[in-house]
Amino acid sequence: MKLKKALLAAALMVVTATVAAQNIRVFSGGASQRPDLMRKLFDEFEKKNPGSKIDMETGGATSEAQRQYLSTVLNAKDSAIDVYMIDIVNPMQYARAGWLEPLDSYLGAEAGSLMKNYLPAYASADVVDGKIVALPAFADAQFLYYRKDLFEKYGVKSPTTWDELAVGLKKILDGEKNAGMNGVATTGAAIEGAVCTFLKPYWSQGKDFNDASGRITLDKAAAQKGIEMWLSLVDRGVMQKNIGEVKPADMNNAFKAGNLVAMVNWGFAWDILQSQADSTVKGKVGVLPLPAMGGGKSATCIGGWQWAVSAFSKNKAASAKLVRFLSSPESAKFLAIEGSLLPVFPQTYSDADVLKKLPHYKDALPVVQAARGRPMSDRYGEVSDALRTTTNAMLARSVKPADGVAEIDNKLRRVMR
Amino acid sequence: MAAPLASPTLIDRLRDPSEKTLGVMLLAPAALLLLMIVVYPIGKLFYNSFFDMRLSGGQGSKFIGLQNYADMMKDTGFWDATLNTVIITAVTVPGALLVGLGLALLANLPFKRQWPVRLALLLPWALPLAFAGLIWAWFFHTEYGFINDVWARMGGEPRMWLLSPVSAFTAICLAIIWKASSFMALVLLAGLQMIPKSLYEAAEVDGASKWQQFTQITLPMLMPSIMVALIFRTITALQTFDIPYTMTKGGPGNATETLAMYIHKTTIDYLDVGYGSTLAVGMFVLSLLLTAVYLRHISKQDSA
């Protein structure tokens, strides 16, 4: 009897699977991309479109891991997944490989004007060779998180340069006399975030890493100065010596425990510091644009995620409809309030409901608008690897800044040409 | 049984196989399996190594002959990783042998209870490699690590063990020796227990010292076990991946990157399957060379 039931169930599953060709299967990133919130958006879409059903799949904690997985799936021209969430560094590579379905024809009359609604960085990343290949899901950029209470206690003003920050932190650390407390941290471990650690002080000197066609234009002296700035923070005692070990999660934990006065981190950190039960710094967190190099301009790294329809999907029209729904001001507002995921629409930053929960968003818009993109390349894996491992070695002081920068230049001249 | 008059059909032969056909039939499944899971992948690896095959751009693959091999010869990343691998092998294989020998001799002592000793020997061997790497990474962590805690209690300044090439290398070698010596010890312990007690008794009667007994009886009798353990250990040491990957990810920079990690990075991170295959062929040749050296040594001993 049991066997019969099991067989029947199996048969039913086969039948539903064939009918389910109308279903949409979505790859929605890893845990940092908040699949829990995405699922709620999918439920909303199912409610509004009776008969549609969305299966989701998640994977890869880091952008690198996701890129490896998706490249394998897309190389195999796999039609199982219809919609992908992809990192801002990927649309160009995927579109040029012919893996993404251009959305223009599905958007109808909107196609001509739609992209003007978004923040310019995303509009430009998602239009490749004149075609809309993806729609922005949410934005991201790196900010300076700081302990508002400690800055006030010691009368430290909001720093505009790294030097000012170092002076202020020194005052706070000397005053607090807490051996377990560190000044400022940034990602120094050899992961994707270290690419931004390299680029931020470099860009801040008004330099470009690459030209419009993707060729490398590295100013070695400026790059060296950027790395030396980080090392000088260590020498002045306001950055931990083991910065080469630090990952974003380490910073979050130290900050939550009250052991870190400031940190350079992505937008989602706000939600972690303010909402998680074990945070001891709720209500004491301030957010600022990143400080600049002396005589330079504040520069930060842009991140963010896009929704794209697979060129191999058998259900493109419905998938495009879903992507359009996900990339709307309503969805952006929901993601901002529930997960502090930065909106891709400028007007959401001044929305009253959003500001009530996220008061720092009023200062966040100019930061996101000025944020810069990492170099786009169809060999981005190699670009990223050269930058993050060498930056890690320079921060660990196992390679001198001058040698490390020359090594980066050497490697990437062959890749970014 | 009468001999068939006409030449037998295939069916007949299968129904009443001769010794030889039966042998072939019985071997076929195993041979097929080997063909599928060993010969085909290795053949495909060699085949791929002649192609420019990048998955990252979706541009398909192109035959480029020996270009990948020429690139490999000029690739400093390849040579650095090979050097690191050779150093790790040269340090950890003798290291694990010495420690393992010590452990085996210890475990061979006439304890009242044998099982706690044996269990202690087995535990590191039974741990997954990646897990062992993570444990050691925590040991050496600058802020939360056990090593720095002890170091600080003795009055030392906390050190960043995994952030400097020399100490990171040392830490990795320590972890590998710890992990590998239990395997060595197990193999050697089995060897020790095969040595007849009567030899030692006779030596005792002849007035040989303990050291003489060890060098004249134990070591020579143990040689075959030592060789087996060395061969296995050397080949696994050449493929070292898990422990450095989990402890340092090859850092600082690429200072502790092994050949296996470089292949993984090229193939999986860069999605450069063609060049990755070439590197894997390089590692294959390296393993083959070292195994050949050992095998020669063994066959010499056998014929002697």
Side-chain angles (χ1 to χ4, degrees), chain B residues 21-37:
Chain B
T21 338
L22 184 68
V24 171
M25 275 164 63
L26 289 177
L27 280 177
L32 256 170
L33 199 69
L34 276 180
L35 218 71
M36 256 159 48
I37 62 173

Side-chain angles (χ1 to χ4, degrees), chain A residues 13 23 35 73-74 91 146 156 220 254 268 270 277 279-280 309 326 339 348 352 388 403 413:
Chain A
M13 270 162 73
N23 285 6
V73 171
L74 289 163
Y146 71 102
V156 177
K220 285 191 262 187
F268 68 87
W270 174 268
S279 174
T280 62
V309 176
L326 293 170
T348 318
R388 60 194 150 93
D403 300 340
R413 254 178 221 295

Side-chain angles (χ1 to χ4, degrees), chain A residues 323-378:
Chain A
V323 166
R324 181 67 192 90
F325 166 80
L326 293 170
S327 183
S328 63
E330 295 76 35
S331 306
K333 186 172 164 180
F334 168 78
L335 293 175
I337 292 177
E338 295 298 321
S340 83
L341 300 177
L342 290 161
V344 284
F345 300 96
Q347 75 268 21
T348 318
Y349 288 83
S350 46
D351 184 288
D353 300 330
V354 173
L355 281 175
K356 214 168 96 194
K357 178 93 189 285
L358 305 151
H360 66 284
Y361 269 27
K362 65 178 192 311
D363 307 319
L365 184 60
V367 175
V368 181
Q369 275 171 330
R372 307 184 57 164
R374 282 159 275 169
M376 302 263 180
S377 163
D378 55 0

Side-chain angles (χ1 to χ4, degrees), chain A residues 68 75 93 97 242 245 385, chain B residues 55-57 142-143 268-270:
Chain A
Q68 287 157 16
N75 257 297
Q93 177 195 339
N242 65 330
E245 273 175 310
D385 183 67
Chain B
L55 300 188
S56 61
T142 309
E143 287 165 281
I268 309 292
D269 288 358
Y270 299 175

